[in-house]
Amino acid sequence: LNNEALPRSFYRQGAIVAARSLLNCILLHKTEEGLVSGRISETEAYTPDDPASHSYRGKTARNATMFGPPGHAYVYFTYGMYHCLNAVTSEENDAEAVLIRAVDPLEGWELMSRRRGLPEVEIARLLEAKAEARTRERWGRTLTGGPGKLCQAYALTLADNGLDLTSGKGLWIAPPAAGSGASPYHEICVSPRIGIRHSMELLQRYTLRGDPYVSKK
DNA sequence: ATCTCGATAGTCT
DNA sequence: GACTATCGAGATC
């Protein structure tokens, strides 16, 4: 498994291209608690000419990271309770970003379950039944099947806003796994983004055909 | 499976 | 004062 961070050049592609390229890449976060990782399964693209983008109305304290250099994490707080993780995917001041909406959990199931607040007895039961594909898929969606859930499972907060994703330590994104661990999903599906107004106007949500690790059908 | 609704607080008008 | 790049519970089919 090549867990080296994607280079800065990857993040210069713009949100539309990068959102597609990020599918099947591996999101990793290492803390004192341990390592968690997952295969990116759902993304959305946001560009400054789009009224739904935080960067549409110009730079503010909240969205400043989006206006910064490529390859950094833009983390924001929303609905009074949740955080969302984006990757900045444009040159300084261009303010394009990709929202990471879901991953397929790879490493750190127990840690993610604990951070998500699952009861210990439930965690023990799930670890027992992990061999069953059905259980694993459902549990996976519970852990990281949505942008808010994913940040909770990864323990990402505003403290992580602005982190450099190309350092290969702490928080980073690696290329898709190759060989036996490679993803079986390849065909990219396009759909309306979630939770925004006029969602039908721009189809900039990206998933992989057949991939069960998504936030919504 | 699909829906409606409440929680909760930062941001912007 | 309104809105929000969300989630889970509870109701209903």
Side-chain angles (χ1 to χ4, degrees), chain A residues 2-133:
Chain A
N2 171 21
N3 274 343
E4 290 196 12
L6 292 167
R8 187 88 50 205
S9 57
F10 180 95
Y11 297 98
R12 299 188 202 276
Q13 304 181 87
I16 309 276
V17 174
R20 304 170 70 107
S21 304
L22 279 168
L23 293 172
N24 282 329
C25 288
I26 312 299
L27 176 66
L28 304 104
H29 191 213
K30 194 184 261 181
T31 66
E32 288 185 354
E33 290 183 296
L35 172 76
V36 298
S37 68
R39 177 183 58 84
I40 295 172
S41 52
E42 179 178 343
T43 60
E44 287 181 0
Y46 288 88
T47 56
D49 57 344
D50 164 17
S53 174
H54 288 176
S55 58
Y56 181 71
R57 289 161 194 86
K59 187 173 173 179
T60 65
R62 181 203 200 193
N63 65 19
T65 303
M66 271 186 95
F67 287 80
H72 289 253
Y74 168 45
V75 181
Y76 66 87
F77 183 70
T78 191
Y79 288 105
M81 330 170 68
Y82 298 106
H83 296 274
C84 292
L85 170 68
N86 299 251
V88 177
T89 55
S90 60
E91 297 297 342
E92 194 150 5
N93 290 316
D94 288 348
E96 301 192 15
V98 174
L99 172 65
I100 314 288
R101 283 194 59 88
V103 307
D104 162 8
L106 297 176
E107 298 162 278
W109 288 73
E110 198 171 339
L111 179 54
M112 289 192 280
S113 298
R114 205 157 282 135
R115 286 169 171 168
R116 290 276 295 119
L118 303 199
E120 287 297 328
V121 282
E122 177 74 356
I123 295 173
R125 196 188 66 75
L126 287 167
L127 287 169
E128 197 86 10
K130 195 182 172 185
E132 298 159 38

Side-chain angles (χ1 to χ4, degrees), chain A residues 42-44 189-192 194 203-206 215-216:
Chain A
E42 179 178 343
T43 60
E44 287 181 0
C189 299
V190 171
S191 55
I194 310 289
L203 303 182
Q204 292 180 169
R205 173 176 178 248
Y206 306 94
S215 63
K216 290 187 168 73

